[in-house]
PDB file of all heavy atoms in Angstrom:
ATOM      1  N   GLN M1221     -11.029  20.842-142.309  1.00  0.00           N
ATOM      2  CA  GLN M1221      -9.635  20.622-142.014  1.00  0.00           C
ATOM      3  C   GLN M1221      -8.914  20.172-143.297  1.00  0.00           C
ATOM      4  O   GLN M1221      -7.857  20.527-143.467  1.00  0.00           O
ATOM      5  CB  GLN M1221      -9.585  19.266-141.095  1.00  0.00           C
ATOM      6  CG  GLN M1221      -9.975  19.816-139.569  1.00  0.00           C
ATOM      7  CD  GLN M1221      -9.939  18.621-138.740  1.00  0.00           C
ATOM      8  OE1 GLN M1221      -9.841  17.578-139.061  1.00  0.00           O
ATOM      9  NE2 GLN M1221     -10.133  18.969-137.373  1.00  0.00           N
ATOM     10  N   LYS M1222      -9.648  19.535-144.259  1.00  0.00           N
ATOM     11  CA  LYS M1222      -8.917  19.052-145.483  1.00  0.00           C
ATOM     12  C   LYS M1222      -8.645  20.333-146.348  1.00  0.00           C
ATOM     13  O   LYS M1222      -7.664  20.475-147.042  1.00  0.00           O
ATOM     14  CB  LYS M1222      -9.913  18.062-146.205  1.00  0.00           C
ATOM     15  CG  LYS M1222      -9.253  17.466-147.556  1.00  0.00           C
ATOM     16  CD  LYS M1222     -10.049  16.603-148.193  1.00  0.00           C
ATOM     17  CE  LYS M1222      -9.441  15.960-149.378  1.00  0.00           C
ATOM     18  NZ  LYS M1222     -10.387  14.915-150.022  1.00  0.00           N
ATOM     19  N   ASP M1223      -9.624  21.242-146.455  1.00  0.00           N
ATOM     20  CA  ASP M1223      -9.468  22.432-147.185  1.00  0.00           C
ATOM     21  C   ASP M1223      -8.426  23.448-146.723  1.00  0.00           C
ATOM     22  O   ASP M1223      -7.748  24.186-147.474  1.00  0.00           O
ATOM     23  CB  ASP M1223     -10.741  23.264-147.442  1.00  0.00           C
ATOM     24  CG  ASP M1223     -11.853  22.480-148.195  1.00  0.00           C
ATOM     25  OD1 ASP M1223     -11.433  21.504-148.856  1.00  0.00           O
ATOM     26  OD2 ASP M1223     -13.078  22.817-148.009  1.00  0.00           O
ATOM     27  N   VAL M1224      -8.313  23.354-145.442  1.00  0.00           N
ATOM     28  CA  VAL M1224      -7.309  24.218-144.865  1.00  0.00           C
ATOM     29  C   VAL M1224      -5.822  23.974-145.298  1.00  0.00           C
ATOM     30  O   VAL M1224      -5.112  24.839-145.591  1.00  0.00           O
ATOM     31  CB  VAL M1224      -7.307  24.093-143.468  1.00  0.00           C
ATOM     32  CG1 VAL M1224      -6.092  24.785-142.656  1.00  0.00           C
ATOM     33  CG2 VAL M1224      -8.532  24.865-142.793  1.00  0.00           C
ATOM     34  N   LEU M1225      -5.585  22.743-145.413  1.00  0.00           N
ATOM     35  CA  LEU M1225      -4.208  22.352-145.980  1.00  0.00           C
ATOM     36  C   LEU M1225      -3.869  22.779-147.395  1.00  0.00           C
ATOM     37  O   LEU M1225      -2.778  23.170-147.848  1.00  0.00           O
ATOM     38  CB  LEU M1225      -3.980  20.811-145.941  1.00  0.00           C
ATOM     39  CG  LEU M1225      -4.160  20.190-144.444  1.00  0.00           C
ATOM     40  CD1 LEU M1225      -4.129  18.710-144.553  1.00  0.00           C
ATOM     41  CD2 LEU M1225      -3.064  20.858-143.612  1.00  0.00           C
ATOM     42  N   VAL M1226      -5.015  22.835-148.215  1.00  0.00           N
ATOM     43  CA  VAL M1226      -4.870  23.303-149.543  1.00  0.00           C
ATOM     44  C   VAL M1226      -4.846  24.870-149.775  1.00  0.00           C
ATOM     45  O   VAL M1226      -4.239  25.478-150.571  1.00  0.00           O
ATOM     46  CB  VAL M1226      -5.992  22.713-150.448  1.00  0.00           C
ATOM     47  CG1 VAL M1226      -5.824  23.120-151.887  1.00  0.00           C
ATOM     48  CG2 VAL M1226      -5.862  21.201-150.270  1.00  0.00           C
ATOM     49  N   THR M1227      -5.780  25.553-148.873  1.00  0.00           N
ATOM     50  CA  THR M1227      -6.069  26.921-149.050  1.00  0.00           C
ATOM     51  C   THR M1227      -5.218  27.963-148.265  1.00  0.00           C
ATOM     52  O   THR M1227      -5.277  29.025-148.459  1.00  0.00           O
ATOM     53  CB  THR M1227      -7.554  27.205-148.952  1.00  0.00           C
ATOM     54  OG1 THR M1227      -7.803  26.908-147.539  1.00  0.00           O
ATOM     55  CG2 THR M1227      -8.531  26.442-149.831  1.00  0.00           C
ATOM     56  N   LYS M1228      -4.370  27.446-147.444  1.00  0.00           N
ATOM     57  CA  LYS M1228      -3.637  28.259-146.380  1.00  0.00           C
ATOM     58  C   LYS M1228      -2.579  28.988-147.312  1.00  0.00           C
ATOM     59  O   LYS M1228      -1.945  28.474-148.155  1.00  0.00           O
ATOM     60  CB  LYS M1228      -2.906  27.365-145.466  1.00  0.00           C
ATOM     61  CG  LYS M1228      -3.740  27.213-144.259  1.00  0.00           C
ATOM     62  CD  LYS M1228      -2.845  26.473-143.122  1.00  0.00           C
ATOM     63  CE  LYS M1228      -3.585  26.350-141.867  1.00  0.00           C
ATOM     64  NZ  LYS M1228      -3.783  27.504-141.149  1.00  0.00           N
ATOM     65  N   SER M1229      -2.502  30.264-147.053  1.00  0.00           N
ATOM     66  CA  SER M1229      -1.573  31.086-147.746  1.00  0.00           C
ATOM     67  C   SER M1229      -0.207  30.843-147.161  1.00  0.00           C
ATOM     68  O   SER M1229      -0.046  30.333-146.168  1.00  0.00           O
ATOM     69  CB  SER M1229      -1.928  32.575-147.624  1.00  0.00           C
ATOM     70  OG  SER M1229      -1.891  32.853-146.240  1.00  0.00           O
ATOM     71  N   SER M1230       0.912  31.367-147.878  1.00  0.00           N
ATOM     72  CA  SER M1230       2.170  31.120-147.360  1.00  0.00           C
ATOM     73  C   SER M1230       2.375  31.893-146.096  1.00  0.00           C
ATOM     74  O   SER M1230       3.202  31.402-145.330  1.00  0.00           O
ATOM     75  CB  SER M1230       3.148  31.642-148.473  1.00  0.00           C
ATOM     76  OG  SER M1230       2.923  33.024-148.738  1.00  0.00           O
ATOM     77  N   GLY M1231       1.738  33.110-146.002  1.00  0.00           N
ATOM     78  CA  GLY M1231       1.938  33.737-144.772  1.00  0.00           C
ATOM     79  C   GLY M1231       1.412  33.009-143.538  1.00  0.00           C
ATOM     80  O   GLY M1231       1.917  33.084-142.531  1.00  0.00           O
ATOM     81  N   GLU M1232       0.163  32.399-143.626  1.00  0.00           N
ATOM     82  CA  GLU M1232      -0.436  31.550-142.630  1.00  0.00           C
ATOM     83  C   GLU M1232       0.474  30.353-142.234  1.00  0.00           C
ATOM     84  O   GLU M1232       0.705  30.123-141.111  1.00  0.00           O
ATOM     85  CB  GLU M1232      -1.629  30.921-142.999  1.00  0.00           C
ATOM     86  CG  GLU M1232      -2.793  32.098-143.106  1.00  0.00           C
ATOM     87  CD  GLU M1232      -4.159  31.672-143.703  1.00  0.00           C
ATOM     88  OE1 GLU M1232      -4.047  30.589-144.505  1.00  0.00           O
ATOM     89  OE2 GLU M1232      -5.181  32.043-143.228  1.00  0.00           O
ATOM     90  N   ILE M1233       1.149  29.747-143.121  1.00  0.00           N
ATOM     91  CA  ILE M1233       2.036  28.633-142.930  1.00  0.00           C
ATOM     92  C   ILE M1233       3.205  29.129-142.184  1.00  0.00           C
ATOM     93  O   ILE M1233       3.656  28.628-141.187  1.00  0.00           O
ATOM     94  CB  ILE M1233       2.541  27.932-144.178  1.00  0.00           C
ATOM     95  CG1 ILE M1233       1.353  27.369-144.854  1.00  0.00           C
ATOM     96  CG2 ILE M1233       3.613  26.933-143.927  1.00  0.00           C
ATOM     97  CD1 ILE M1233       1.607  26.669-146.267  1.00  0.00           C
ATOM     98  N   HIS M1234       3.695  30.367-142.560  1.00  0.00           N
ATOM     99  CA  HIS M1234       4.885  30.985-141.955  1.00  0.00           C
ATOM    100  C   HIS M1234       4.537  31.276-140.495  1.00  0.00           C
ATOM    101  O   HIS M1234       5.339  30.962-139.678  1.00  0.00           O
ATOM    102  CB  HIS M1234       5.249  32.084-142.692  1.00  0.00           C
ATOM    103  CG  HIS M1234       6.143  33.066-141.881  1.00  0.00           C
ATOM    104  ND1 HIS M1234       5.567  34.268-141.466  1.00  0.00           N
ATOM    105  CD2 HIS M1234       7.472  32.900-141.474  1.00  0.00           C
ATOM    106  CE1 HIS M1234       6.611  34.806-140.679  1.00  0.00           C
ATOM    107  NE2 HIS M1234       7.727  34.101-140.647  1.00  0.00           N
ATOM    108  N   GLU M1235       3.363  31.934-140.311  1.00  0.00           N
ATOM    109  CA  GLU M1235       3.044  32.250-138.904  1.00  0.00           C
ATOM    110  C   GLU M1235       2.857  31.134-138.027  1.00  0.00           C
ATOM    111  O   GLU M1235       2.957  31.208-136.778  1.00  0.00           O
ATOM    112  CB  GLU M1235       1.636  33.042-138.991  1.00  0.00           C
ATOM    113  CG  GLU M1235       1.891  34.426-139.494  1.00  0.00           C
ATOM    114  CD  GLU M1235       2.802  35.251-138.742  1.00  0.00           C
ATOM    115  OE1 GLU M1235       2.889  35.172-137.475  1.00  0.00           O
ATOM    116  OE2 GLU M1235       3.463  36.098-139.298  1.00  0.00           O
ATOM    117  N   GLN M1236       2.286  29.942-138.617  1.00  0.00           N
ATOM    118  CA  GLN M1236       2.142  28.858-137.797  1.00  0.00           C
ATOM    119  C   GLN M1236       3.439  28.060-137.375  1.00  0.00           C
ATOM    120  O   GLN M1236       3.464  27.565-136.330  1.00  0.00           O
ATOM    121  CB  GLN M1236       1.351  27.767-138.391  1.00  0.00           C
ATOM    122  CG  GLN M1236       0.903  26.593-137.613  1.00  0.00           C
ATOM    123  CD  GLN M1236      -0.024  25.660-138.405  1.00  0.00           C
ATOM    124  OE1 GLN M1236      -0.318  25.847-139.470  1.00  0.00           O
ATOM    125  NE2 GLN M1236      -0.424  24.559-137.652  1.00  0.00           N
ATOM    126  N   LEU M1237       4.434  28.187-138.315  1.00  0.00           N
ATOM    127  CA  LEU M1237       5.663  27.341-138.055  1.00  0.00           C
ATOM    128  C   LEU M1237       6.756  28.230-137.227  1.00  0.00           C
ATOM    129  O   LEU M1237       7.313  27.654-136.326  1.00  0.00           O
ATOM    130  CB  LEU M1237       6.199  26.897-139.462  1.00  0.00           C
ATOM    131  CG  LEU M1237       5.432  25.964-140.224  1.00  0.00           C
ATOM    132  CD1 LEU M1237       6.022  25.595-141.502  1.00  0.00           C
ATOM    133  CD2 LEU M1237       5.122  24.663-139.309  1.00  0.00           C
ATOM    134  N   THR M1250       7.344  18.403-131.227  1.00  0.00           N
ATOM    135  CA  THR M1250       6.204  18.079-132.059  1.00  0.00           C
ATOM    136  C   THR M1250       4.874  18.669-131.642  1.00  0.00           C
ATOM    137  O   THR M1250       3.919  18.583-132.158  1.00  0.00           O
ATOM    138  CB  THR M1250       5.938  16.498-132.180  1.00  0.00           C
ATOM    139  OG1 THR M1250       5.702  16.041-130.835  1.00  0.00           O
ATOM    140  CG2 THR M1250       7.094  15.852-132.685  1.00  0.00           C
ATOM    141  N   GLY M1252       4.907  22.151-130.347  1.00  0.00           N
ATOM    142  CA  GLY M1252       4.889  23.638-130.610  1.00  0.00           C
ATOM    143  C   GLY M1252       4.332  23.985-132.077  1.00  0.00           C
ATOM    144  O   GLY M1252       3.664  25.038-132.133  1.00  0.00           O
ATOM    145  N   TYR M1253       4.659  23.106-133.052  1.00  0.00           N
ATOM    146  CA  TYR M1253       4.245  23.528-134.369  1.00  0.00           C
ATOM    147  C   TYR M1253       3.703  22.308-135.066  1.00  0.00           C
ATOM    148  O   TYR M1253       4.205  21.144-134.843  1.00  0.00           O
ATOM    149  CB  TYR M1253       5.595  24.000-135.162  1.00  0.00           C
ATOM    150  CG  TYR M1253       6.119  25.262-134.595  1.00  0.00           C
ATOM    151  CD1 TYR M1253       7.412  24.928-133.802  1.00  0.00           C
ATOM    152  CD2 TYR M1253       5.617  26.435-134.507  1.00  0.00           C
ATOM    153  CE1 TYR M1253       7.983  25.969-133.130  1.00  0.00           C
ATOM    154  CE2 TYR M1253       6.247  27.457-133.945  1.00  0.00           C
ATOM    155  CZ  TYR M1253       7.436  27.276-133.153  1.00  0.00           C
ATOM    156  OH  TYR M1253       8.070  28.274-132.555  1.00  0.00           O
ATOM    157  N   ASP M1254       2.811  22.508-135.947  1.00  0.00           N
ATOM    158  CA  ASP M1254       2.240  21.391-136.783  1.00  0.00           C
ATOM    159  C   ASP M1254       3.080  21.027-137.887  1.00  0.00           C
ATOM    160  O   ASP M1254       2.947  21.740-139.039  1.00  0.00           O
ATOM    161  CB  ASP M1254       0.792  21.754-137.131  1.00  0.00           C
ATOM    162  CG  ASP M1254       0.100  20.632-137.735  1.00  0.00           C
ATOM    163  OD1 ASP M1254       0.705  19.502-137.783  1.00  0.00           O
ATOM    164  OD2 ASP M1254      -1.064  20.791-138.123  1.00  0.00           O
ATOM    165  N   VAL M1255       4.174  20.228-137.734  1.00  0.00           N
ATOM    166  CA  VAL M1255       4.994  19.895-138.848  1.00  0.00           C
ATOM    167  C   VAL M1255       4.427  19.165-140.036  1.00  0.00           C
ATOM    168  O   VAL M1255       4.835  19.128-141.058  1.00  0.00           O
ATOM    169  CB  VAL M1255       6.124  19.138-138.188  1.00  0.00           C
ATOM    170  CG1 VAL M1255       7.258  18.907-139.253  1.00  0.00           C
ATOM    171  CG2 VAL M1255       6.833  19.932-137.041  1.00  0.00           C
ATOM    172  N   SER M1256       3.235  18.561-139.663  1.00  0.00           N
ATOM    173  CA  SER M1256       2.557  17.785-140.648  1.00  0.00           C
ATOM    174  C   SER M1256       2.217  18.617-141.834  1.00  0.00           C
ATOM    175  O   SER M1256       2.024  18.234-143.034  1.00  0.00           O
ATOM    176  CB  SER M1256       1.257  17.061-140.228  1.00  0.00           C
ATOM    177  OG  SER M1256       0.389  18.114-139.647  1.00  0.00           O
ATOM    178  N   ILE M1257       1.970  20.019-141.658  1.00  0.00           N
ATOM    179  CA  ILE M1257       1.533  20.937-142.715  1.00  0.00           C
ATOM    180  C   ILE M1257       2.647  21.067-143.758  1.00  0.00           C
ATOM    181  O   ILE M1257       2.515  21.136-144.877  1.00  0.00           O
ATOM    182  CB  ILE M1257       1.154  22.344-142.125  1.00  0.00           C
ATOM    183  CG1 ILE M1257      -0.087  22.187-141.200  1.00  0.00           C
ATOM    184  CG2 ILE M1257       1.023  23.344-143.154  1.00  0.00           C
ATOM    185  CD1 ILE M1257      -0.551  23.394-140.625  1.00  0.00           C
ATOM    186  N   LEU M1258       3.902  21.179-143.101  1.00  0.00           N
ATOM    187  CA  LEU M1258       5.053  21.238-144.115  1.00  0.00           C
ATOM    188  C   LEU M1258       5.106  19.937-144.947  1.00  0.00           C
ATOM    189  O   LEU M1258       5.555  20.070-146.129  1.00  0.00           O
ATOM    190  CB  LEU M1258       6.331  21.359-143.231  1.00  0.00           C
ATOM    191  CG  LEU M1258       6.717  22.802-142.949  1.00  0.00           C
ATOM    192  CD1 LEU M1258       7.937  22.905-142.070  1.00  0.00           C
ATOM    193  CD2 LEU M1258       6.819  23.756-144.132  1.00  0.00           C
ATOM    194  N   THR M1259       5.048  18.918-144.244  1.00  0.00           N
ATOM    195  CA  THR M1259       5.103  17.536-144.873  1.00  0.00           C
ATOM    196  C   THR M1259       4.220  17.474-146.086  1.00  0.00           C
ATOM    197  O   THR M1259       4.452  17.146-147.165  1.00  0.00           O
ATOM    198  CB  THR M1259       5.092  16.478-144.016  1.00  0.00           C
ATOM    199  OG1 THR M1259       6.047  16.562-142.862  1.00  0.00           O
ATOM    200  CG2 THR M1259       5.334  15.094-144.648  1.00  0.00           C
ATOM    201  N   SER M1260       2.941  17.759-145.657  1.00  0.00           N
ATOM    202  CA  SER M1260       1.822  17.684-146.723  1.00  0.00           C
ATOM    203  C   SER M1260       1.916  18.600-147.811  1.00  0.00           C
ATOM    204  O   SER M1260       1.719  18.411-148.938  1.00  0.00           O
ATOM    205  CB  SER M1260       0.349  17.848-145.943  1.00  0.00           C
ATOM    206  OG  SER M1260       0.402  19.141-145.440  1.00  0.00           O
ATOM    207  N   ALA M1261       2.479  19.810-147.378  1.00  0.00           N
ATOM    208  CA  ALA M1261       2.621  20.840-148.416  1.00  0.00           C
ATOM    209  C   ALA M1261       3.783  20.572-149.239  1.00  0.00           C
ATOM    210  O   ALA M1261       3.709  21.019-150.522  1.00  0.00           O
ATOM    211  CB  ALA M1261       2.861  22.322-147.743  1.00  0.00           C
ATOM    212  N   CYS M1262       4.717  19.932-148.820  1.00  0.00           N
ATOM    213  CA  CYS M1262       5.848  19.566-149.578  1.00  0.00           C
ATOM    214  C   CYS M1262       5.635  18.704-150.653  1.00  0.00           C
ATOM    215  O   CYS M1262       6.107  18.714-151.819  1.00  0.00           O
ATOM    216  CB  CYS M1262       7.023  19.136-148.703  1.00  0.00           C
ATOM    217  SG  CYS M1262       8.505  18.805-149.597  1.00  0.00           S
ATOM    218  N   HIS M1263       4.677  17.697-150.330  1.00  0.00           N
ATOM    219  CA  HIS M1263       4.310  16.581-151.251  1.00  0.00           C
ATOM    220  C   HIS M1263       3.119  17.063-152.109  1.00  0.00           C
ATOM    221  O   HIS M1263       2.643  16.318-152.890  1.00  0.00           O
ATOM    222  CB  HIS M1263       4.110  15.297-150.648  1.00  0.00           C
ATOM    223  CG  HIS M1263       5.383  14.871-149.832  1.00  0.00           C
ATOM    224  ND1 HIS M1263       6.427  14.234-150.552  1.00  0.00           N
ATOM    225  CD2 HIS M1263       5.865  14.922-148.630  1.00  0.00           C
ATOM    226  CE1 HIS M1263       7.375  13.873-149.838  1.00  0.00           C
ATOM    227  NE2 HIS M1263       7.020  14.242-148.561  1.00  0.00           N
ATOM    228  N   ASP M1264       2.570  18.067-151.691  1.00  0.00           N
ATOM    229  CA  ASP M1264       1.281  18.548-152.568  1.00  0.00           C
ATOM    230  C   ASP M1264       1.618  19.346-153.821  1.00  0.00           C
ATOM    231  O   ASP M1264       2.428  20.267-153.647  1.00  0.00           O
ATOM    232  CB  ASP M1264       0.440  19.474-151.559  1.00  0.00           C
ATOM    233  CG  ASP M1264      -0.961  19.536-152.023  1.00  0.00           C
ATOM    234  OD1 ASP M1264      -1.297  19.304-153.295  1.00  0.00           O
ATOM    235  OD2 ASP M1264      -2.015  19.534-151.243  1.00  0.00           O
ATOM    236  N   SER M1266      -0.073  21.365-155.341  1.00  0.00           N
ATOM    237  CA  SER M1266      -0.564  22.663-155.429  1.00  0.00           C
ATOM    238  C   SER M1266       0.511  23.709-154.867  1.00  0.00           C
ATOM    239  O   SER M1266       0.413  24.829-155.255  1.00  0.00           O
ATOM    240  CB  SER M1266      -1.851  22.865-154.491  1.00  0.00           C
ATOM    241  OG  SER M1266      -1.478  22.619-153.154  1.00  0.00           O
ATOM    242  N   PHE M1267       1.410  23.265-154.120  1.00  0.00           N
ATOM    243  CA  PHE M1267       2.552  24.147-153.689  1.00  0.00           C
ATOM    244  C   PHE M1267       3.775  24.214-154.605  1.00  0.00           C
ATOM    245  O   PHE M1267       4.724  24.792-154.219  1.00  0.00           O
ATOM    246  CB  PHE M1267       2.992  23.731-152.291  1.00  0.00           C
ATOM    247  CG  PHE M1267       2.015  24.192-151.194  1.00  0.00           C
ATOM    248  CD1 PHE M1267       0.938  23.301-150.729  1.00  0.00           C
ATOM    249  CD2 PHE M1267       2.151  25.417-150.640  1.00  0.00           C
ATOM    250  CE1 PHE M1267       0.137  23.778-149.845  1.00  0.00           C
ATOM    251  CE2 PHE M1267       1.352  25.742-149.716  1.00  0.00           C
ATOM    252  CZ  PHE M1267       0.194  25.016-149.221  1.00  0.00           C
ATOM    253  N   TYR M1276       6.574  31.172-154.146  1.00  0.00           N
ATOM    254  CA  TYR M1276       7.852  31.315-153.626  1.00  0.00           C
ATOM    255  C   TYR M1276       8.817  31.640-154.718  1.00  0.00           C
ATOM    256  O   TYR M1276       8.716  31.139-155.914  1.00  0.00           O
ATOM    257  CB  TYR M1276       8.234  30.066-152.832  1.00  0.00           C
ATOM    258  CG  TYR M1276       7.339  29.538-151.820  1.00  0.00           C
ATOM    259  CD1 TYR M1276       6.490  28.649-152.055  1.00  0.00           C
ATOM    260  CD2 TYR M1276       7.266  30.186-150.667  1.00  0.00           C
ATOM    261  CE1 TYR M1276       5.505  28.156-151.148  1.00  0.00           C
ATOM    262  CE2 TYR M1276       6.374  29.858-149.734  1.00  0.00           C
ATOM    263  CZ  TYR M1276       5.427  28.836-149.913  1.00  0.00           C
ATOM    264  OH  TYR M1276       4.549  28.484-148.930  1.00  0.00           O
ATOM    265  N   LEU M1312      11.470  29.003-142.634  1.00  0.00           N
ATOM    266  CA  LEU M1312      11.669  27.577-142.778  1.00  0.00           C
ATOM    267  C   LEU M1312      11.223  27.158-144.226  1.00  0.00           C
ATOM    268  O   LEU M1312      11.827  26.308-144.608  1.00  0.00           O
ATOM    269  CB  LEU M1312      10.762  26.998-141.690  1.00  0.00           C
ATOM    270  CG  LEU M1312      10.956  25.382-141.634  1.00  0.00           C
ATOM    271  CD1 LEU M1312      12.337  24.964-141.383  1.00  0.00           C
ATOM    272  CD2 LEU M1312       9.917  24.888-140.666  1.00  0.00           C
ATOM    273  N   HIS M1313      10.243  27.883-144.805  1.00  0.00           N
ATOM    274  CA  HIS M1313       9.811  27.380-146.177  1.00  0.00           C
ATOM    275  C   HIS M1313      10.938  27.599-147.246  1.00  0.00           C
ATOM    276  O   HIS M1313      10.918  26.848-148.183  1.00  0.00           O
ATOM    277  CB  HIS M1313       8.546  28.209-146.502  1.00  0.00           C
ATOM    278  CG  HIS M1313       8.846  29.607-146.990  1.00  0.00           C
ATOM    279  ND1 HIS M1313       9.019  30.558-146.116  1.00  0.00           N
ATOM    280  CD2 HIS M1313       8.964  30.020-148.295  1.00  0.00           C
ATOM    281  CE1 HIS M1313       9.109  31.658-146.924  1.00  0.00           C
ATOM    282  NE2 HIS M1313       9.222  31.332-148.157  1.00  0.00           N
ATOM    283  N   GLY M1316      12.858  24.485-146.909  1.00  0.00           N
ATOM    284  CA  GLY M1316      11.961  23.320-147.333  1.00  0.00           C
ATOM    285  C   GLY M1316      11.529  23.365-148.731  1.00  0.00           C
ATOM    286  O   GLY M1316      11.110  22.187-149.082  1.00  0.00           O
ATOM    287  N   TYR M1317      11.487  24.455-149.311  1.00  0.00           N
ATOM    288  CA  TYR M1317      10.789  24.504-150.605  1.00  0.00           C
ATOM    289  C   TYR M1317      11.840  25.244-151.692  1.00  0.00           C
ATOM    290  O   TYR M1317      11.365  26.218-152.214  1.00  0.00           O
ATOM    291  CB  TYR M1317       9.494  25.299-150.550  1.00  0.00           C
ATOM    292  CG  TYR M1317       8.559  24.626-149.468  1.00  0.00           C
ATOM    293  CD1 TYR M1317       8.051  25.331-148.503  1.00  0.00           C
ATOM    294  CD2 TYR M1317       8.142  23.216-149.701  1.00  0.00           C
ATOM    295  CE1 TYR M1317       7.315  24.875-147.618  1.00  0.00           C
ATOM    296  CE2 TYR M1317       7.331  22.700-148.660  1.00  0.00           C
ATOM    297  CZ  TYR M1317       6.931  23.545-147.678  1.00  0.00           C
ATOM    298  OH  TYR M1317       6.194  23.001-146.679  1.00  0.00           O
ATOM    299  N   MET M1330      13.481  17.683-142.376  1.00  0.00           N
ATOM    300  CA  MET M1330      12.156  17.039-142.410  1.00  0.00           C
ATOM    301  C   MET M1330      11.973  16.159-143.564  1.00  0.00           C
ATOM    302  O   MET M1330      11.223  15.286-143.550  1.00  0.00           O
ATOM    303  CB  MET M1330      11.115  18.087-142.428  1.00  0.00           C
ATOM    304  CG  MET M1330      10.973  18.865-141.191  1.00  0.00           C
ATOM    305  SD  MET M1330       9.653  20.170-141.357  1.00  0.00           S
ATOM    306  CE  MET M1330      10.216  21.188-142.742  1.00  0.00           C
TER     307      MET M1330
END
Side-chain angles (χ1 to χ4, degrees):
Q1221 290 179 347
K1222 183 176 181 180
D1223 293 341
V1224 162
L1225 298 177
V1226 179
T1227 60
K1228 273 187 178 288
S1229 64
S1230 60
E1232 290 175 329
I1233 296 176
H1234 160 255
E1235 290 297 329
Q1236 183 177 2
L1237 295 179
T1250 59
Y1253 306 101
D1254 189 2
V1255 183
S1256 62
I1257 295 179
L1258 274 181
T1259 306
S1260 60
C1262 182
H1263 296 283
D1264 199 327
S1266 61
F1267 280 91
Y1276 305 103
L1312 186 60
H1313 77 278
Y1317 308 119
M1330 293 183 295

